[in-house]
């Protein structure tokens, strides 16, 4: 079992006198920057020229400058930009300013795990990865709590990279909830696997296929939507709060018997074999190569698949039904509105 670290295990002096640069002001960027600021850390935000996030960051009381200026001024640099862009940003805006004793931080292991970024020998390389979206990292911190974090060390030039990463995690609220040590490889490979097989790829494909099966059998699309997508949140919330056993305790005996006796007909040996193939593609680096190549070529396949998903009947039916249930989003902004239309960085 992993050891969980808390505030009592942190030496906050490791980061107290450091100058931190947050590159990017998207979901994670705004949360890290504001939490660090509220923790008394000397923080500045580095953004692209003309970034629409500059005004938001400035209004929040943060110092805003170019990425090169922020990298030159700081001795701890946290990259919170899309995986596919980090390599070029590192070469153009960070690498020329790195000095011995600096620290380069990541919130995801992708670029280090697949050797897309390699820091000089005298620079610490570490990861602090909150296990939750940026809005929760910020909200829970403000409320006095935090989101659990993973930390890892890729290069320990100073001999204290691990303690610095732990102090950073504490400063954004992670040590309030718990911090677990991992490696860049473990975090990256399990994160990609979870996204592709369960959280995103597996889940959306399962929901869509079930919706299509019911519609093709003559059932109303609205009823199919409720059964295959809408009620999913109820089950996931129960699993989130009480685990699989707690969910099964809460549902009807009929539902539980259907779960226990039919689930492995959906997730069968063929499915498990495909999961292993996907994991192998991640471990070998072939997925990373494919994704980087796709991005460099303008993302034609990505954009085609994204458009096809947006045009699927389940999205049209869902939009109409959600309009009938305003309480679902009452008091909340859409993810598109929160990002200001500037993407996911």
């Amino acid at each position: 079992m992993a050891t969980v670290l808390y505030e009592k295990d942190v030496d906050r002096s490791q980061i107290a006198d450091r100058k931190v640069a947050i590159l990017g002001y998207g979901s994670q960027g705004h949360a890290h920057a504001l939490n660090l600021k509220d923790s008394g850390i000397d923080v500045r935000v580095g953004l692209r020229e003309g970034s629409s996030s500059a005004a938001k960051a400035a209004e929040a009381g943060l110092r805003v400058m170019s990425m090169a200026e922020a990298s030159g001024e700081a001795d701890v640099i946290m990259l919170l930009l899309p995986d596919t862009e980090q390599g070029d940003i590192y070469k153009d805006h960070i690498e020329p300013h790195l000095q011995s004793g600096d620290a380069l931080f990541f919130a995801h292991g992708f670029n280090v795990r697949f050797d897309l970024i390699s820091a000089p020998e005298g620079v610490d390389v570490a990861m602090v990865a909150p296990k939750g979206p940026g809005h929760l990292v910020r909200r829970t911190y403000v409320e006095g709590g935090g989101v659990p974090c993973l930390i890892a060390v890729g290069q320990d030039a100073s001999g204290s990279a691990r303690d610095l990463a732990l102090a950073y995690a504490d400063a954004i609220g992670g040590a309030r909830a718990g911090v677990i040590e991992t490696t860049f490889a473990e975090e990256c490979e399990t994160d990609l696997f979870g996204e592709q097989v369960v959280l995103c790829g597996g889940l959306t494909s399962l929901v869509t296929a079930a919706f299509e099966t019911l519609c093709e059998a003559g059932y109303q699309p609205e009823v199919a939507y409720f059964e295959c997508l809408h009620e999913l949140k109820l089950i996931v919330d129960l699993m989130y709060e009480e685990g699989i056993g707690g969910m099964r305790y809460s549902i009807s005996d009929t539902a539980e018997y259907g779960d226990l006796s039919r689930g492995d007909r959906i997730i069968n040996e063929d499915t498990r074999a495909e999961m292993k193939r996907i994991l192998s593609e991640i471990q070998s680096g072939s997925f990373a190569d494919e994704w980087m190549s796709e991005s460099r070529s303008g993302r034609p396949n990505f954009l085609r698949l994204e458009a096809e998903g947006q045009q699927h009947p389940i999205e049209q039916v869902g939009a109409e039904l959600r309009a009938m249930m305003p309480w679902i989003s009452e008091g909340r902004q859409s993810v598109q509105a929160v990002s200001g239309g500037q993407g996911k960085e």
Side-chain angles (χ1 to χ4, degrees), residues 56 69 95 97 99 111 123 130 148 152 175 189 192 194 198 210-211 230 254 261 264-265 268 271 280 291 320:
K56 293 181 182 179
E69 290 171 332
E95 188 174 34
H97 303 284
Q99 300 178 21
N111 275 272
V123 173
E189 292 167 12
L192 292 174
V198 183
F211 174 85
H230 178 78
T254 304
S261 65
D264 61 4
R265 290 170 58 181
N268 54 32
T271 311
S280 178
W291 176 222
E320 293 171 2

Side-chain angles (χ1 to χ4, degrees), residues 77-121:
I77 302 162
M78 169 59 94
L79 261 169
L80 294 172
L81 294 149
D83 290 330
T84 53
E85 299 176 20
Q86 289 187 13
D88 289 339
I89 288 168
Y90 171 77
K91 291 174 186 175
D92 295 340
H93 303 286
I94 301 173
E95 188 174 34
H97 303 284
L98 285 177
Q99 300 178 21
S100 181
D102 287 350
L104 184 62
F105 274 29
F106 299 83
H108 180 38
F110 189 91
N111 275 272
V112 173
R113 164 63 181 85
F114 297 114
D115 299 319
L116 298 169
I117 294 177
S118 297
E121 290 184 1

Side-chain angles (χ1 to χ4, degrees), residues 58 63 105 111 116 140 248 267:
R63 292 179 60 216
F105 274 29
N111 275 272
L116 298 169
T140 55
R248 286 174 171 161
I267 307 301

Side-chain angles (χ1 to χ4, degrees), residues 235 247-248 250-262:
I235 299 301
M247 177 274 289
R248 286 174 171 161
S250 298
I251 62 179
S252 71
D253 289 347
T254 304
E256 184 176 3
Y257 181 71
D259 166 3
L260 296 169
S261 65
R262 299 300 196 272

Side-chain angles (χ1 to χ4, degrees), residues 14 105 124-126 152-153 155-166:
Q14 292 289 329
F105 274 29
D124 285 338
V125 177
V153 174
Q155 183 167 286
D156 189 9
S158 67
S160 58
R162 179 258 192 194
D163 293 336
L164 177 59
L166 183 57

